[in-house]
Amino acid sequence: MTQTQLTLYIIRLVLGGLATFFAILVWGKTRDSAWMCLIAGIVLEYCGTVYNMFLDFGVVFSSDLSVAGIPLTTILFTVVPPLFFILAFIMILIRKR
């Protein structure tokens, strides 16, 4: 791992950690389903960042379960957060009509 990659991981972890921290604070104050989907997407995206960092450092290894040759956990952390964001935005659009 190069110095540049490590620096980018540190920046991603700090900023993602702050976003996740504030998302969890908002979580306790809202009961709106659109906000809950946004918060879930942010938290899962941060979990994906931590998971990818652990993979790169060799702390964890990808699972044997795979879909089309891609580990299931990688698919989960890549696909699910944007799905939560899409769902949240759809809920907001439906509510505004």
Side-chain angles (χ1 to χ4, degrees):
M1 176 165 292
T2 65
Q3 183 71 23
T4 306
Q5 288 174 324
L6 185 61
T7 304
L8 287 175
Y9 266 127
I10 291 170
I11 291 170
R12 241 190 263 160
L13 286 173
V14 169
L15 294 178
L18 284 172
T20 302
F21 174 75
F22 288 115
I24 291 171
L25 288 179
V26 170
W27 194 331
K29 302 212 181 270
T30 186
R31 297 290 180 247
D32 185 20
S33 57
W35 274 104
M36 297 299 279
C37 285
L38 280 174
I39 292 166
I42 290 169
V43 170
L44 276 175
E45 194 168 298
Y46 184 68
C47 290
T49 300
V50 172
Y51 176 75
N52 286 332
M53 185 189 69
F54 283 166
L55 277 176
D56 287 347
F57 286 148
V59 176
V60 297
F61 301 101
S62 60
S63 65
D64 291 335
L65 296 173
S66 63
V67 176
I70 304 170
L72 190 60
T73 51
T74 302
I75 292 173
L76 172 81
F77 289 128
T78 303
V79 173
V80 175
L83 289 178
F84 272 119
F85 296 145
I86 291 167
L87 183 61
F89 294 134
I90 289 171
M91 287 178 187
I92 291 169
L93 287 173
I94 289 172
R95 182 177 8 157
K96 295 293 179 183
R97 285 187 182 179

